[in-house]
Amino acid sequence: MTDDLGRAAMEGSGFYNRHSALQAAGVAALADIWARACDAVPVGEGVVRIVDLASSQGRNSMAPMRIAIDTIRRRTGPARPIEIIHTDLPSNDFSSLFDAVFADDSSYLRNASAIFPLAIGRSYFEPLLPPDSVHLAWNTWSMQWMARNVINASDHVLAGMSKSEEVLSAVATQQQEDWAQFLSLRSAELVHGGRLLTAFTARTDIETGWEWLLGELWEAICDLVGQGLLSREEATRMTIPIGLRQLRDLAAPFNDTGAYAGLKIEHLELKQTANPHWNDFLKTGDKDEFARRHAEATRAWAGPTLALALTSHHDPQVSLDAIFARHAERLARDPKQHEPYMVVGVFVKDK
Amino acid sequence: MTDDLGRAAMEGSGFYNRHSALQAAGVAALADIWARACDAVPVGEGVVRIVDLASSQGRNSMAPMRIAIDTIRRRTGPARPIEIIHTDLPSNDFSSLFDAVFADDSSYLRNASAIFPLAIGRSYFEPLLPPDSVHLAWNTWSMQWMARNVINASDHVLAGMSKSEEVLSAVATQQQEDWAQFLSLRSAELVHGGRLLTAFTARTDIETGWEWLLGELWEAICDLVGQGLLSREEATRMTIPIGLRQLRDLAAPFNDTGAYAGLKIEHLELKQTANPHWNDFLKTGDKDEFARRHAEATRAWAGPTLALALTSHHDPQVSLDAIFARHAERLARDPKQHEPYMVVGVFVKDK
C-alpha cells in the first residue's frame, strides 16, 4: 500500500471526529455546490451509489451525505435503494465510522429509508469499485496529501513549504502524478453523467495560507531539538507529505482538449475557509484557549504522521504532547486569523 | 444495536485470526457444498455480489471466497466485476480485515481480476443490502450466537447448556426468532436463484458435542470463585449467549409449505467437524500443548464476552489470563477428542 508511506490515518477512537471543526466549516461552504451536483446527476433505474472518499471517522460525512440523500429522494421517491460507500486507508478507525453511521443521532440514516452504508479500507490511488457503478463521489480535505512521502524537508514540517528547489520539484512531480491517477480511477468508476466533487487545501500564487500555523509548528519542533528532546534527524524526518497546489496545477490535465480521462470540469474555484476559532477568540480574548484549539486540531491530522518519524526510544504520546504544548505556547503569543485556501472542483463524466 | 448485547466481537489485532484453526477445519469441510452453490446460482449480466456474513478478521473467508471467484470466473470470464462484501459487528477489527484482504499473500485477490472488496459493520439481524442484489451469501460459525443475551445461567458458561428449564426455554424462544429474522432478511437481499450457505455449531438430540470443553471452562470459572478471584455474581453473568440447535429446529419454519420467506432448503445436514489439535496430540502425546491450544482457541471467541461480565475493579486481561490458565490445567488432565457438530444449510431464493 503506497499510501501507507504518505497519508497516515487520522487519530483514532473519535479524536479526529472531535477536533475537526475547521474541516467541518470548509465542508459547510460546499453545500450548495454539492446539492447542484446531486441534482444534476442522472439516477437511472437501479441502486444509486454515492462514494465518500477519505471518510475518516464519519463526522464530516453526515451533512453532505444527508444533502445527497435529500436531493436524490426528491427525484426518486422513498423506496429507491441508495448505497453510501465510505472509503479510507486500511488503518482508519472503521469501528468509530460504523458507530457514527449506524448509532449516532447525527447520522444521515435518521428519518431516511432504504439507505445502505458500506466501507472500503483501501487507498483511493487504487481501484475501489466496478466501472460505471458510481453516481456521485464526495471527497474533502485529503487530496493535499501525496500518495507517498517522496522526499524529506530539513527546513519545514510541510514538504510543500520547504524553500529547497529539490524538495519543491519532487513534490510537484508527485502531485501531478497523484492528481492524474485520482482523476483516472474515479472517472472509470463513474456512470455517464456522474459527478466527482473534491475539495482540499490549496494556495494562491503568492501565499499558502498555512505560513503562520505550520511555521510555528516547525519552530516548535526546532525548539525541542534545541532542548535535546528530539534529534535533528527526527526533525528532518518529520516531513508531512503535503503540498499546496494552485488552481492552474489542477486545471493542467484538461488544458489540451478540455477533457481528461473522460471527465470535464464543471466547477473549479479557490475559496478562503472560515475559521470558527477566530470568532470565539474575538469574543473572549482568550489567547490560550484559541492556541490550544488550533494545536489540538493540528495534532488530530498531523500527529500520527509526526509520530512515525520518532526513533523507538521515544514514547510517541510523550513526544507529541511536548510538540503540541510548545506549538500552543507559540501560537498564543500572537494569535492570527488562520483561514486557509480551499479548492473546490466538480468534474462530470462525459463519455 | 441489539447484537452488542449478544455476540461480542472476536479478539482483535489478529488474535482471532491466529487462533481459529478449528473454525478453519470446519470451513474446509464445506468446500464442495459451497462450490455447487456457486455453480448453480444465476449470475445475470452485471456485477456479481457475494456477501461474507460475520467475517471476523477475514482469515477464514479467503478459501471460500477464492472458491466462489474461481467458480464464477469459469462462467463469466475474467472481466465481470465481482463485489465481495464482508460484514460483522461495528466493533469488529476491520483494519485487520482490510489488511488481510488487500495486503496478505493468502488473499483471494491474488491472481484474480476485477474483484472489489467492501465491508459493513452492522449486525446481520438488521438489513444490510438492497433487495435483489446478492447472488451468494456465506456464513459460518456465528448463528449459534443469539442476537442478545436474554437470560443468565447460574450453572453453566453457555446459556444453551444450562440445566434450568427457564433458561433453556428463553434460549429456544430467542433462537427461533433469530433464525426466522436471519432467513427473512437474507432472502430479501438475494436475487432469484441466489444461494445462502450457513454453517454453525449445532447438536444431536442426545449431545451438544461441547460437554467436555465448555464443562471444564465452567469448572475453571467456579474454581476461581472458590479462590475468591471472581464473585459468584460475575460467574453468573459469564453466560455466553449461545445455544445449540437440532436439525429439526432449523427445518421447522419450512415444515408447513416447504418454503419460508421465499427460500427453499437445498441442503441441510449435520456433520461432525475434524479437530486439528487431536491428531497433533496423538503424535506428540503433549497434553499441555494440546490443552493450551484449546484454551487459547476458546479464549479467542469467548474471552471478549466473558470480560463483559467483570466488575470494574478487575483488570479484564488479568482475569482472562487466570480463567484460561485454569481452563488449560483442567483440559490437560484428561485430553479428549473435541469434535463439535456443525449444521450445514444451503437455501435457495425461489421467488
Side-chain angles (χ1 to χ4, degrees):
Chain A
M1 303 297 302
T2 55
D3 211 54
D4 287 345
L5 304 170
R7 189 166 65 92
M10 303 296 99
E11 282 261 12
S13 301
F15 186 88
Y16 182 77
N17 264 355
R18 292 189 302 278
H19 296 285
S20 52
L22 189 70
Q23 289 88 336
V27 167
L30 304 173
D32 289 348
I33 299 167
W34 175 236
R36 282 199 297 277
C38 298
D39 212 35
V41 67
V43 291
E45 299 292 323
V47 172
V48 176
R49 182 171 263 190
I50 305 168
V51 180
D52 173 31
L53 299 151
S55 61
S56 185
Q57 298 153 32
R59 172 175 145 174
N60 288 338
S61 306
M62 296 307 174
M65 294 304 110
R66 169 67 71 182
I67 288 170
I69 290 165
D70 289 351
T71 308
I72 288 164
R73 276 284 171 260
R74 279 197 293 273
R75 301 169 61 197
T76 65
R80 179 84 75 89
I82 300 176
E83 291 180 354
I84 311 253
I85 303 174
H86 304 279
T87 86
D88 212 311
L89 298 178
S91 52
N92 184 52
D93 181 356
F94 286 99
S95 291
S96 288
L97 172 73
F98 286 126
D99 279 341
V101 167
F102 287 116
D104 273 16
D105 285 341
S106 64
S107 171
Y108 55 76
L109 290 182
R110 296 291 153 263
N111 305 313
S113 59
I115 310 293
F116 300 91
L118 301 99
I120 304 174
R122 189 181 208 192
S123 163
Y124 52 45
F125 294 115
E126 306 276 350
L128 296 172
L129 288 161
D132 302 313
S133 72
V134 173
H135 295 81
L136 290 161
W138 164 268
N139 167 248
T140 60
W141 291 105
S142 69
M143 274 300 293
Q144 70 273 19
W145 291 86
M146 292 185 277
R148 54 202 179 91
N149 187 10
V150 286
I151 193 165
N152 284 331
S154 59
D155 63 336
H156 207 288
V157 70
L158 210 75
M161 293 177 76
S162 171
K163 296 270 188 289
S164 152
E165 284 301 325
E166 186 195 0
V167 173
L168 291 178
S169 165
V171 168
T173 301
Q174 183 65 40
Q175 290 207 303
Q176 277 171 27
E177 194 180 295
D178 290 350
W179 182 234
Q181 172 87 340
F182 181 73
L183 292 175
S184 297
L185 288 168
R186 298 298 83 75
S187 179
E189 292 162 357
L190 285 174
V191 302
H192 181 81
R195 260 77 172 173
L196 160 69
L197 182 153
T198 177
F200 48 92
T201 188
R203 58 170 295 168
T204 69
D205 54 352
I206 56 166
E207 63 169 356
T208 68
W210 292 85
E211 282 82 358
W212 174 64
L213 195 80
L214 296 184
E216 294 294 355
L217 179 56
W218 177 244
E219 292 303 328
I221 290 167
C222 292
D223 289 348
L224 267 60
V225 173
Q227 292 167 21
L229 295 174
L230 291 175
S231 71
R232 176 53 59 189
E233 291 69 33
E234 286 172 313
T236 297
R237 280 198 303 272
M238 286 187 175
T239 300
I240 301 171
I242 282 181
L244 289 312
R245 299 173 178 95
Q246 297 183 46
L247 276 187
R248 64 176 179 223
D249 302 324
L250 300 168
F254 299 86
N255 283 350
D256 283 350
T257 65
Y260 178 75
L263 294 175
K264 287 192 172 177
I265 298 174
E266 190 163 78
H267 185 105
L268 189 63
E269 169 189 19
L270 194 68
K271 296 166 89 83
Q272 208 161 7
T273 58
N275 182 328
H277 306 318
W278 182 253
N279 287 336
D280 290 345
F281 169 63
L282 291 182
K283 282 183 213 144
T284 65
D286 188 338
K287 290 182 179 185
D288 290 334
E289 172 67 12
F290 174 81
R292 190 187 62 73
R293 284 202 210 167
H294 267 302
E296 282 193 350
T298 308
R299 178 174 181 164
W301 62 263
T305 301
L306 300 186
L308 295 176
L310 294 166
T311 51
S312 59
H313 66 276
H314 280 125
D315 180 315
Q317 293 314 311
V318 172
S319 295
L320 291 179
D321 286 350
I323 291 170
F324 288 98
R326 183 66 187 149
H327 189 216
E329 279 174 36
R330 285 189 154 271
L331 295 175
R333 289 180 188 172
D334 181 19
K336 290 192 167 62
Q337 189 169 8
H338 171 65
E339 293 187 332
Y341 299 97
M342 177 176 69
V343 64
V344 187
V346 178
F347 303 90
V348 56
K349 175 79 168 282
D350 195 40
K351 74 168 189 189
Chain B
M1 302 302 302
T2 55
D3 209 53
D4 287 345
L5 303 170
R7 189 166 65 93
M10 302 298 98
E11 283 261 12
S13 302
F15 186 88
Y16 182 76
N17 263 356
R18 292 189 302 278
H19 296 284
S20 50
L22 190 71
Q23 290 87 336
V27 165
L30 305 172
D32 289 347
I33 300 167
W34 176 236
R36 281 199 296 277
C38 297
D39 212 35
V41 68
V43 290
E45 299 293 322
V47 173
V48 176
R49 183 171 263 189
I50 305 168
V51 181
D52 172 33
L53 298 151
S55 61
S56 185
Q57 297 152 34
R59 171 174 145 173
N60 288 338
S61 306
M62 296 308 172
M65 293 304 110
R66 168 68 69 184
I67 289 169
I69 290 166
D70 289 349
T71 309
I72 288 164
R73 276 284 170 261
R74 280 197 291 274
R75 302 168 60 198
T76 64
R80 179 85 75 89
I82 300 176
E83 291 180 354
I84 310 252
I85 303 174
H86 304 279
T87 87
D88 212 310
L89 298 178
S91 52
N92 184 51
D93 181 355
F94 286 99
S95 291
S96 288
L97 172 73
F98 286 127
D99 279 341
V101 168
F102 287 116
D104 273 15
D105 285 341
S106 64
S107 170
Y108 54 76
L109 290 182
R110 295 292 153 262
N111 305 313
S113 59
I115 309 294
F116 300 91
L118 301 98
I120 305 173
R122 190 179 207 192
S123 162
Y124 53 45
F125 294 115
E126 306 278 348
L128 296 172
L129 288 161
D132 302 314
S133 71
V134 173
H135 295 81
L136 290 161
W138 164 267
N139 167 247
T140 61
W141 291 105
S142 69
M143 276 298 294
Q144 70 272 17
W145 291 86
M146 293 185 275
R148 54 202 179 88
N149 187 9
V150 287
I151 192 165
N152 284 331
S154 58
D155 64 337
H156 207 287
V157 70
L158 209 76
M161 293 176 76
S162 171
K163 295 270 188 290
S164 152
E165 284 300 325
E166 187 195 1
V167 172
L168 291 177
S169 164
V171 168
T173 301
Q174 183 63 40
Q175 290 208 303
Q176 276 171 27
E177 195 179 294
D178 290 349
W179 182 234
Q181 172 86 341
F182 181 74
L183 292 175
S184 298
L185 288 168
R186 298 297 82 75
S187 179
E189 292 161 356
L190 284 173
V191 300
H192 180 82
R195 258 77 173 174
L196 161 68
L197 182 153
T198 177
F200 47 92
T201 188
R203 57 170 295 167
T204 70
D205 54 350
I206 56 166
E207 63 170 354
T208 67
W210 292 86
E211 283 81 359
W212 174 63
L213 195 80
L214 297 183
E216 294 295 355
L217 179 56
W218 177 244
E219 292 303 327
I221 291 166
C222 292
D223 290 347
L224 267 61
V225 172
Q227 292 166 21
L229 295 173
L230 292 175
S231 71
R232 177 52 60 190
E233 291 68 33
E234 285 172 313
T236 297
R237 280 199 302 273
M238 286 186 176
T239 300
I240 300 172
I242 282 181
L244 288 312
R245 299 173 178 96
Q246 298 182 46
L247 275 187
R248 64 175 180 227
D249 302 324
L250 301 168
F254 300 85
N255 283 350
D256 282 352
T257 66
Y260 179 74
L263 293 176
K264 286 192 172 175
I265 299 174
E266 191 164 76
H267 185 105
L268 190 62
E269 169 188 19
L270 195 67
K271 296 166 90 81
Q272 207 158 7
T273 58
N275 183 329
H277 306 316
W278 182 251
N279 287 337
D280 290 345
F281 169 64
L282 291 183
K283 282 182 215 149
T284 65
D286 188 338
K287 290 183 178 184
D288 291 333
E289 172 66 12
F290 174 82
R292 190 188 60 75
R293 286 202 210 168
H294 267 303
E296 282 193 351
T298 308
R299 179 175 180 164
W301 63 262
T305 301
L306 300 185
L308 295 175
L310 294 165
T311 51
S312 59
H313 66 277
H314 281 124
D315 179 316
Q317 292 316 310
V318 173
S319 295
L320 290 179
D321 286 349
I323 290 169
F324 288 98
R326 183 68 187 148
H327 188 215
E329 279 173 35
R330 285 188 154 271
L331 295 175
R333 289 180 188 170
D334 181 20
K336 290 192 167 62
Q337 188 168 10
H338 172 65
E339 293 186 331
Y341 299 97
M342 177 177 69
V343 64
V344 187
V346 178
F347 304 90
V348 57
K349 176 79 168 281
D350 193 42
K351 75 168 188 190

